[in-house]
Amino acid sequence: INNEPYTFTHENAQEFLTAARAAYPSGIPDRKSFFELGMACAELVVVHGWPEREVRKILDEICSEPKDANTDNNDAEWQNYLSGTRGKVKQGERVLSHRSVFAKARENGWQPMIEAAPNWLESMNNRFFVAPYSTTVAVFRISADTSTPLKSDAFKLLLANKSVEVATPNGTKKAPIADAWLKHTSRREYSGVGFWPSAQAPVGYFNFWQGWPVQPVYGDVSPALEHINQVICNEDKNLFNYIIGWLAYCVQHPNEPGYVALVIMGGRGTGKSMFAEWIKLMFGRYAMSVAKGELLTGQFTGHLEKMVLMVAEEAFWAGDKAAENALKHVITGTTLSIHPKGFTPYDAPNYLHVIMTSNEEWVVPAGVDERRFAVCTVSESRKGDVAYFKSLANWASDGGIAALLDYLLKYDLQGFNVRTPPDSKGLRSQKIMSLDPAARWIMSRLEIGALVGDEWKQETSASSMVSNFCDHQHLNAYERRRAETQLGNTVRKIFPEVKKVRLRSSGVRGYVYRLGVDSLQEARTMFEKYVGMDGLDWGDDE
């Protein structure tokens, strides 16, 4: 209702004045009534652009009664109402609507000047509205959690068993309530719909964001911070600082994509799911848990438009090439392709922030230059500690979630860059597991100390390398040519100075790779540079 336009005209101003008179027939007897009317008037100025002087005329006229009313603080309180309303609008929160005055006036028998609204109209307007959607026009059904689009046939079927009395030139007659409401000039309708987290919708548009489901309240957040540091981040200070920054950026900038997904890896009972549940509770209806990747990257994605947080539980993406690009686009793309069932797909802004939890070793497709994932390997120090997790559950249910939201909203993000996750042990493991087969084979050979055999040489037989690689990958003779090409391409990426030379002397024929490096240590350093990870553990160099 707050988003429905109510532009300033002299007719509308007169209508609001008569409604205010009917709502407060004896004037403003106390400060509570002044607050109610004052906040409704402030909404007209801040949300609908009415001139402040015109609104104050109405407020002052109603406040002139009773004669002994104390008006000493009216000016100061009015400025507080304006300031408070502007703050709520800026945060995308609900504000007291001018329609609250209309509702109070109707209780006293008042009717709008333009059209006497039937009793059923307000009830229908509180439950439904009409707006353009996708390539058509839909009726939206409003619920506590969301607003769902219905095609007209579905809307009429939903209300097929309800009828109302409507006026006709020949008197009144019964008509289906769905038809009566759709044809009524005062049905609730908008110029469009959209999702603008923590922001005001354009005038005339309905905003699916209706404010934070949890109201932030200052409180103790030490249980959460200690759990994140000691368990989720396994006391990796750099990772802890990034995770807190990521969460703060998420709640302070919900109108941006997440840029980086949090990946929480650990066994069952370690506390990774509890952490994800805390964050999900902060976002309430704007958060969703999925157990199947298709709900995030599949064909029907209508649910994604109204989401800020997506928790992919026990996600397993590694090796799924079909979903890899879709996953990466969800994390960093500026738009999402929204495809509600029964409606034409369309593009919408992407505000998704993704948290992935898994007990698998290989979770995400992390390239050598990966900057889309912050990976935590959860500590098992609290696994099975019933008392510990019970105390955390009690903290969360006793105001902890509201305190955590307050802490994150106030967290200082100066100097924080959400796009640069730390080079954690978990991220390194995902990079190594995501290497192409040729790179993983080369890494395994560098761990042994030679590309072929057990002694490092500057020249290595190309055919021997291919044969060893094929054996390692269990490839047959028909796949050898493809493997040879793949191996050669990867060798050139890791060792840019490599040359493939054909030998003809001393009775030796065939090709060799001259890597252009003088030692095994130098070759390992070049591999570390290729994968972007200094100081890999190569085991016993001997």
Side-chain angles (χ1 to χ4, degrees):
I1 292 177
N2 293 341
N3 294 322
E4 190 169 359
Y6 190 55
T7 55
F8 174 78
T9 64
H10 291 294
E11 291 78 10
N12 285 345
Q14 185 63 29
E15 180 179 59
F16 184 75
L17 176 60
T18 60
R21 285 171 176 164
Y24 303 96
S26 301
I28 302 297
D30 50 42
R31 305 313 295 179
K32 178 177 181 294
S33 299
F34 182 74
F35 171 81
E36 292 174 350
L37 180 58
M39 289 296 287
C41 288
E43 186 252 2
L44 289 174
V45 174
V46 175
V47 177
H48 300 283
W50 282 36
E52 183 179 349
R53 63 180 182 279
E54 299 294 338
V55 176
R56 277 302 302 266
K57 286 180 184 178
I58 297 173
L59 181 62
D60 291 342
E61 179 171 334
I62 304 301
C63 289
S64 64
E65 297 291 341
K67 299 300 184 182
D68 59 348
N70 183 355
T71 62
D72 293 344
N73 296 322
N74 283 9
D75 288 341
E77 292 195 33
W78 168 248
Q79 292 303 318
N80 289 336
Y81 299 158
L82 287 177
S83 176
T85 301
R86 290 190 182 101
K88 286 180 175 292
V89 168
K90 185 176 180 181
Q91 294 298 322
E93 298 178 7
R94 284 179 176 270
V95 297
L96 187 64
S97 171
H98 64 281
R99 294 185 179 277
S100 63
V101 177
F102 290 157
K104 192 176 184 70
R106 285 195 182 96
E107 294 175 359
N108 296 334
W110 174 85
Q111 293 288 354
M113 295 183 298
I114 298 175
E115 178 182 10
N119 293 332
W120 53 265
L121 181 63
E122 185 171 357
S123 175
M124 287 291 290
N125 281 345
N126 287 334
R127 296 170 58 201
F128 303 98
F129 67 85
V130 176
Y133 183 65
S134 183
T135 57
T136 185
V137 176
V139 175
F140 284 80
R141 184 181 186 183
I142 305 169
S143 68
D145 294 330
T146 186
S147 299
T148 308
L150 303 171
K151 289 190 173 181
S152 59
D153 290 346
F155 170 66
K156 292 178 181 180
L157 179 62
L158 180 67
L159 300 174
N161 62 339
K162 293 179 174 60
S163 60
V164 293
E165 295 285 341
V166 296
T168 71
N170 300 320
T172 62
K173 70 172 185 178
K174 282 194 172 184
I177 192 171
D179 290 332
W181 181 75
L182 287 172
K183 294 176 181 178
H184 203 285
T185 57
S186 294
R187 74 183 185 188
R188 185 177 176 185
E189 59 183 51
Y190 294 91
S191 300
V193 297
F195 189 52
W196 294 274
S198 289
Q200 183 72 8
V203 174
Y205 281 71
F206 180 84
N207 192 351
F208 291 128
W209 172 272
Q210 295 292 303
W212 286 101
V214 176
Q215 292 303 309
V217 178
Y218 177 79
D220 181 20
V221 295
S222 58
L225 298 184
E226 290 173 5
H227 180 70
I228 295 172
N229 179 41
Q230 296 174 6
V231 177
I232 301 300
C233 297
N234 205 355
E235 299 193 356
D236 182 330
K237 193 63 177 178
N238 290 333
L239 190 56
F240 170 76
N241 289 336
Y242 179 83
I243 297 302
I244 299 302
W246 187 94
L247 294 173
Y249 200 92
C250 181
V251 300
Q252 293 182 32
H253 301 276
N255 55 343
E256 296 181 23
Y259 302 114
V260 172
L262 296 190
V263 181
I264 315 298
M265 298 168 28
R268 288 183 172 87
T270 56
K272 65 181 186 300
S273 296
M274 174 175 278
F275 162 76
E277 186 65 20
W278 291 343
I279 314 308
K280 184 183 169 189
L281 287 172
M282 287 195 303
F283 284 95
R285 57 184 170 270
Y286 310 118
M288 182 178 184
S289 293
V290 297
K292 295 181 179 180
E294 63 189 33
L295 291 175
L296 192 56
T297 60
Q299 180 180 2
F300 296 109
T301 55
H303 53 282
L304 297 183
E305 182 179 13
K306 306 167 192 173
M307 293 293 127
V308 175
L309 182 75
M310 183 69 71
V311 178
E313 298 176 339
E314 300 305 329
F316 182 61
W317 299 91
D320 187 351
K321 291 296 182 181
E324 180 175 333
N325 290 336
L327 170 64
K328 291 181 177 180
H329 180 77
V330 163
I331 295 171
T332 59
T334 57
T335 61
L336 291 175
S337 178
I338 303 300
H339 188 183
K341 286 186 178 180
F343 293 89
T344 303
Y346 58 92
D347 286 343
N350 176 23
Y351 303 129
L352 275 180
H353 298 70
V354 180
I355 297 177
M356 304 172 70
T357 64
S358 181
N359 57 10
E360 302 287 346
E361 290 186 4
W362 187 18
V363 185
V364 291
V368 295
D369 57 350
E370 192 57 66
R371 285 299 179 190
R372 291 184 180 91
F373 303 106
V375 184
C376 302
T377 304
V378 177
S379 167
E380 296 195 352
S381 60
R382 292 292 184 174
K383 186 173 182 178
D385 191 337
V386 176
Y388 172 77
F389 288 114
K390 184 178 180 180
S391 68
L392 286 180
N394 290 338
W395 166 83
S397 62
D398 191 25
I401 303 303
L404 183 59
L405 177 59
D406 179 75
Y407 174 81
L408 295 173
L409 285 169
K410 297 174 181 176
Y411 188 81
D412 185 2
L413 287 170
Q414 185 175 0
F416 175 76
N417 187 347
V418 72
R419 299 179 192 239
T420 56
D423 182 24
S424 65
K425 292 181 179 178
L427 179 58
R428 287 191 168 206
S429 72
Q430 296 305 294
K431 284 184 177 183
I432 291 172
M433 291 184 179
S434 300
L435 292 174
D436 65 72
R440 293 194 70 181
W441 176 80
I442 292 173
M443 181 177 180
S444 69
R445 295 307 308 179
L446 290 176
E447 288 175 344
I448 293 172
L451 294 180
V452 175
D454 55 8
E455 182 181 352
W456 178 258
K457 297 179 181 179
Q458 292 190 17
E459 287 186 358
T460 304
S461 168
S463 62
S464 297
M465 285 177 60
V466 173
S467 296
N468 193 307
F469 175 56
C470 289
D471 291 343
H472 184 268
Q473 295 297 118
H474 306 289
L475 303 178
N476 58 41
Y478 296 101
E479 297 172 309
R480 181 182 176 94
R481 181 58 184 169
R482 177 177 57 83
E484 184 176 359
T485 301
Q486 182 185 34
L487 180 60
N489 290 337
T490 304
V491 167
R492 291 182 181 90
K493 292 177 183 178
I494 299 173
F495 307 106
E497 302 298 322
V498 67
K499 293 181 180 180
K500 191 175 182 181
V501 180
R502 186 173 184 179
L503 298 181
R504 295 180 179 273
S505 61
S506 304
V508 178
R509 294 182 179 274
Y511 288 93
V512 296
Y513 280 112
R514 293 175 179 169
L515 300 181
V517 295
D518 295 330
S519 66
L520 173 61
Q521 183 58 47
E522 184 180 353
R524 289 173 171 176
T525 299
M526 295 184 73
F527 184 87
E528 291 176 352
K529 182 178 179 181
Y530 169 71
V531 297
M533 294 182 283
D534 295 333
L536 288 176
D537 182 9
W538 295 103
D540 186 0
D541 288 351
E542 296 298 322

